[in-house]
Amino acid sequence: MIFFRTPSGARCGGRQAAPPAAPGHGHITPGCRHIRKILVFAVLVTAAGCSTYTSKMEISRDFYYAGEYEQAIGSLTALIKDASDNDVCLYLLERGKTRLAWGDYDSAIVDFQEAEKRVHEIEGTFSVSEFIKTSLVSAGKMEYQPESHEKILINAYLLLAYQMKGDFEGAKVERNRTVARLEQYTDALSQEDWEKLDVPFARYLAALLYEMEGLTDDARIEYDEVAKLRPEARPASENPNLTEVVVFAEMGRAPLKISREVKGYFNDTDGNLFGFFTLPGASEPMMVSGGAVSGLSMKNSGVVFSFAFPEYVRQPRIASSCRVVIDSLEAAPVKALDNIEETAMESFKKRIGMILLKSALRTYLRTLAQTKLDDKAGGLIDILGKFYSAVETADTRSWQTLPAEIGVFRMECPPGEHEVFLNYYDEGGVPAGCSRKVRFTVVEGKKEIIYFPGPS
Amino acid sequence: MKRILLLVLVCVLAVSGCGKKTRVIDLETDVAEDADFSSADLFTITEGMINSIKANGFYQLYAAQHGGEKPVMLLAESLINKTDEHIDTRLVLEKIRTQMMKENMAQFVDDQAFDMALEQLNMQATDLYDNAKAAKLGNFVGAKYILRGSISNLRKQDGRETINYMNVTLDIFEVETLLMKWTDEVEYKRASTKGKVRR
């Protein structure tokens, strides 16, 4: 029998032990064994210092959600400087989004466009070296490929950046690109998947741009698509000549991926299996002692075992709703338009099977390196297997400066200068602060778009 | 001796992989790199449009009716860009203008020099300048025709393949009458496929 115990002594369970391993695999001198054990210890210590994308982004993310965009940009620029080629594209998206929130539209466009170019260059292609690295080393050793909704949002935010900087021609081009992306990524989906994975914010922006250009038929088509998911967000009619203010308000933080890891160390001492492993969320490691394992040679320095996978975690929110205040009068609540948090979770659900499969493959190959291959190829393979097992973390990359939700508010207003801000409320309807104030001018017969990047 | 040669060969191979390489691309024979709008398309469009204007005979007719004078034309600010690409559409119009002037087909009013010219005229009208030699106000020439157009595309993306249909339509209309004196289009459809394997 193999018994699982925590160091405090609680017995957790057991299973039937396999027959003892065949003897005769050991051919390493006691001195070498000693060095190996030191190395095993060293790699385990190294592993503790390995950071994930989510942890690297912590400072920038906190600055961003605190509205301290300048500091967030500085921190992201430093990350971009040190980033590997695999992560640069995602950091550019984070910085582009931050620059958009900060109001530096030209720089936001540069970042988004550079990221978009790379995303579409590698889309649908395959890299042999990446395949090998992700199979043996880590899931994060491949270039970041955004989820479909993230790809659509790149163009939606580019549209917004062009429009906010006053380049309507540029915004129209991005409108066309957004519509093309929506078609590319959502047309082939089943009705059920479409409802979960569509990006109504992008559709609404495209519709608004069509409306502003006077292309009311195109606007109607996109508004109707929005209405299938968010009927309350659809405007009553398409009127290009109506003098209006259109407010887009972001709320909450995008969910974050965290690394869940099962790690352990097993050794074969005099035919008996001994070791420990940690489970995600457990406060202390589980001890294993008893029987033996067949087919595995663990006589030398044991096996470092790891299985890591990402988990999406919803982030707590300060604000769950907001109301628009125009010229000191609280006008109305913002209508829910897009739940990006939900889209991200659904999109992840569709990919988790493949992620787990790849992680299992990595675990298998590393265990193999420390057992059967070690016997044939010598110590280096064993050390590499232990090292990569110890440093294994899940790929936690995702666009983290995205909001959890986006709402829309539009109101007819007289031409001239106005001031607008948002009052935020928590889940219980208790005031939870307000946004910065924005002064804007509406020209008769035109629409003015105001964008509020959200608080957490 | 063999070892030295081998060493030299290895060094040469190593060095040949380093450094920047520059090559000149012949604009006339340049081909598009992918399905997107490219510099090669600019040449195709200009050539096609100039040949069409020549064949139309609009400027020869004008010269015959106005004692050999060339029509005075103006470029629209830009082509109407209905594509999903950020294209410097003014460049298309300017290339056609350059070609028309080189071939002595028309005169053009520089719409973008208006403010600069006005500033100069106002300055030269002051006592700082020799009034007898100064450029005089009131001699701007109004354009009789405007060259304008639009550029549109239809893109289909299917896996690694992109198919892009592009259409450029230009026209020349008479300011006084709104009558279109010439119009033509250049269109092409191009497919490009990304390699399956990347480095």
Side-chain angles (χ1 to χ4, degrees):
Chain A
M1 289 290 283
I2 296 175
F3 298 106
F4 299 91
R5 287 179 191 275
T6 64
S8 51
R11 185 173 156 171
C12 298
R15 67 175 169 83
Q16 190 61 48
H25 289 299
H27 58 274
I28 289 179
T29 62
C32 277
R33 205 174 296 145
H34 187 61
I35 291 167
R36 277 205 188 183
K37 281 186 178 164
I38 291 169
L39 281 168
V40 169
F41 180 74
V43 292
L44 287 170
V45 169
T46 314
C50 285
S51 54
T52 62
Y53 180 80
T54 298
S55 62
K56 283 183 197 163
M57 270 292 292
E58 190 175 359
I59 295 170
S60 313
R61 210 169 46 232
D62 287 348
F63 276 136
Y64 177 87
Y65 286 110
E68 291 168 19
Y69 301 123
E70 220 173 345
Q71 286 92 327
I73 292 165
S75 159
L76 284 164
T77 304
L79 286 172
I80 289 170
K81 210 175 138 196
D82 298 334
S84 71
D85 289 347
N86 297 334
D87 301 341
V88 167
C89 172
L90 182 54
Y91 282 124
L92 284 171
L93 291 179
E94 309 279 14
R95 192 174 66 179
K97 179 73 168 53
T98 313
R99 284 173 158 170
L100 176 68
W102 175 234
D104 183 359
Y105 304 120
D106 285 316
S107 305
I109 289 167
V110 170
D111 280 349
F112 281 137
Q113 282 181 339
E114 197 181 331
E116 188 204 13
K117 189 171 171 242
R118 187 59 191 159
V119 165
H120 294 291
E121 263 173 12
I122 64 169
E123 186 174 43
T125 62
F126 174 81
S127 161
V128 177
S129 63
E130 265 185 12
F131 176 75
I132 294 168
K133 279 191 259 178
T134 54
S135 300
L136 297 173
V137 183
S138 159
K141 292 285 175 195
M142 60 182 284
E143 263 195 85
Y144 181 70
Q145 260 292 340
E147 306 278 344
S148 295
H149 72 279
E150 291 178 340
K151 288 180 192 166
I152 295 167
L153 282 168
I154 298 173
N155 291 107
Y157 282 120
L158 269 167
L159 186 167
L160 204 55
Y162 272 106
Q163 180 61 28
M164 302 288 288
K165 81 163 198 163
D167 182 349
F168 189 58
E169 291 305 312
K172 282 195 298 186
V173 170
E174 286 307 328
R175 186 260 329 270
N176 296 344
R177 293 174 82 88
T178 303
V179 172
R181 298 284 172 239
L182 282 163
E183 189 186 313
Q184 185 183 348
Y185 298 119
T186 66
D187 266 19
L189 297 174
S190 67
Q191 181 65 23
E192 192 189 351
D193 284 346
W194 178 79
E195 284 170 12
K196 290 172 185 165
L197 301 174
D198 196 53
V199 187
F201 167 61
R203 283 198 191 277
Y204 195 101
L205 269 176
L208 183 59
L209 260 283
Y210 277 131
E211 190 183 355
M212 289 163 77
E213 200 189 346
L215 302 170
T216 48
D217 277 343
D218 294 305
R220 178 183 47 75
I221 291 166
E222 293 304 333
Y223 280 138
D224 285 347
E225 292 292 291
V226 172
K228 286 178 191 167
L229 297 170
R230 298 273 184 272
E232 65 284 359
R234 196 210 190 288
S237 63
E238 301 83 38
N239 186 348
N241 302 318
L242 203 62
T243 313
E244 275 184 302
V245 57
V246 185
V247 175
F248 291 101
E250 294 184 344
M251 272 177 297
R253 296 175 178 219
L256 295 182
K257 279 183 197 159
I258 55 165
S259 179
R260 293 291 192 192
E261 292 147 21
V262 181
K263 285 194 176 178
Y265 172 70
F266 301 98
N267 203 349
D268 184 355
T269 315
D270 300 329
N272 287 319
L273 184 72
F274 172 77
F276 64 88
F277 63 93
T278 54
L279 288 173
S283 57
E284 47 189 344
M286 311 283 283
M287 307 303 289
V288 180
S289 63
V293 176
S294 69
L296 292 181
S297 160
M298 294 192 288
K299 282 198 179 273
N300 304 324
S301 48
V303 169
V304 178
F305 165 88
S306 71
F307 180 76
F309 58 93
E311 186 187 341
Y312 246 138
V313 179
R314 290 173 203 270
Q315 297 302 291
R317 290 193 201 180
I318 294 170
S320 59
S321 66
C322 65
R323 295 177 79 91
V324 178
V325 182
I326 292 191
D327 299 331
S328 306
L329 289 170
E330 194 165 271
V334 162
K335 291 172 181 169
L337 176 63
D338 205 337
N339 191 334
I340 290 170
E341 182 182 59
E342 212 52 57
T343 311
M345 303 293 273
E346 287 297 333
S347 178
F348 181 66
K349 261 190 214 167
K350 296 208 165 291
R351 291 184 49 221
I352 189 67
M354 186 52 78
I355 291 169
L356 291 175
L357 197 68
K358 281 185 178 173
S359 191
L361 175 70
R362 270 194 303 279
T363 302
Y364 171 72
L365 289 175
R366 283 169 191 164
T367 308
L368 202 67
Q370 295 170 69
T371 54
K372 291 192 173 169
L373 288 179
D374 174 34
D375 301 335
K376 289 172 186 157
L380 184 64
I381 298 277
D382 175 39
I383 298 290
L384 283 175
K386 283 184 172 53
F387 176 77
Y388 287 127
S389 289
V391 298
E392 166 85 333
T393 53
D395 183 3
T396 61
R397 294 174 299 174
S398 65
W399 191 351
Q400 302 189 348
T401 45
L402 286 179
E405 269 188 85
I406 303 177
V408 67
F409 167 86
R410 57 197 291 172
M411 189 180 93
E412 207 177 329
C413 72
E417 244 193 55
H418 302 275
E419 187 185 76
V420 63
F421 68 93
L422 303 174
N423 274 335
Y424 296 109
Y425 299 91
D426 70 9
E427 237 173 321
V430 178
C434 62
S435 72
R436 67 194 160 90
K437 290 178 177 169
V438 176
R439 293 201 70 78
F440 65 97
T441 305
V442 189
V443 178
E444 178 144 32
K446 302 275 180 198
K447 298 178 201 308
E448 188 65 27
I449 297 175
I450 311 288
Y451 162 65
F452 286 102
S456 54
Chain B
M1 187 64 187
K2 272 183 182 174
R3 278 187 185 172
I4 293 169
L5 278 174
L6 190 67
L7 190 68
V8 169
L9 186 68
V10 168
C11 289
V12 168
L13 284 174
V15 171
S16 66
C18 310
K20 232 180 202 175
K21 281 182 187 165
T22 309
R23 65 193 173 100
V24 176
I25 296 167
D26 180 12
L27 288 170
E28 304 277 328
T29 54
D30 185 23
V31 288
E33 304 84 14
D34 52 31
D36 290 348
F37 188 80
S38 76
S39 59
D41 300 324
L42 266 177
F43 283 86
T44 315
I45 292 163
T46 312
E47 201 184 341
M49 292 301 182
I50 290 292
N51 288 340
S52 172
I53 296 171
K54 277 184 192 166
N56 168 269
F58 139 77
Y59 73 100
Q60 293 96 323
L61 184 67
Y62 183 91
Q65 287 171 346
H66 295 84
E69 257 185 52
K70 285 176 276 183
V72 179
M73 296 179 63
L74 174 76
L75 292 187
E77 201 182 321
S78 59
L79 291 183
I80 299 166
N81 183 2
K82 299 177 186 171
T83 70
D84 60 3
E85 289 182 61
H86 295 280
I87 300 168
D88 180 2
T89 57
R90 173 85 185 180
L91 191 58
V92 179
L93 290 173
E94 283 177 353
K95 268 196 77 68
I96 290 168
R97 179 177 68 184
T98 305
Q99 205 57 36
M100 284 179 83
M101 289 193 76
K102 270 186 180 170
E103 299 203 17
N104 228 1
M105 294 160 78
Q107 297 184 83
F108 279 86
V109 171
D110 191 342
D111 55 317
Q112 293 183 331
F114 182 84
D115 289 340
M116 215 188 296
L118 198 63
E119 192 186 337
Q120 269 300 311
L121 287 171
N122 283 333
M123 264 169 55
Q124 289 184 32
T126 65
D127 289 340
L128 290 168
Y129 290 80
D130 178 351
N131 286 346
K133 292 177 185 169
K136 299 281 183 292
L137 278 162
N139 289 325
F140 280 177
V141 176
K144 284 195 160 34
Y145 300 96
I146 292 179
L147 174 65
R148 60 172 204 143
S150 66
I151 179 164
S152 316
N153 80 326
L154 289 169
R155 185 188 300 270
K156 270 279 168 214
Q157 194 106 27
D158 188 9
R160 289 177 294 113
E161 189 181 51
T162 304
I163 301 170
N164 194 15
Y165 163 77
M166 194 153 281
N167 178 298
V168 181
T169 302
L170 295 184
D171 65 72
I172 294 171
F173 75 92
E174 193 171 36
V175 173
E176 240 171 44
T177 62
L178 273 179
L179 280 171
M180 275 168 71
K181 294 294 179 182
W182 164 84
T183 187
D184 207 346
E185 64 180 359
V186 170
E187 56 187 346
Y188 60 85
K189 192 173 187 176
R190 207 160 46 223
S192 73
T193 309
K194 278 188 282 188
K196 197 170 177 63
V197 179
R198 69 172 195 280
R199 275 189 301 156

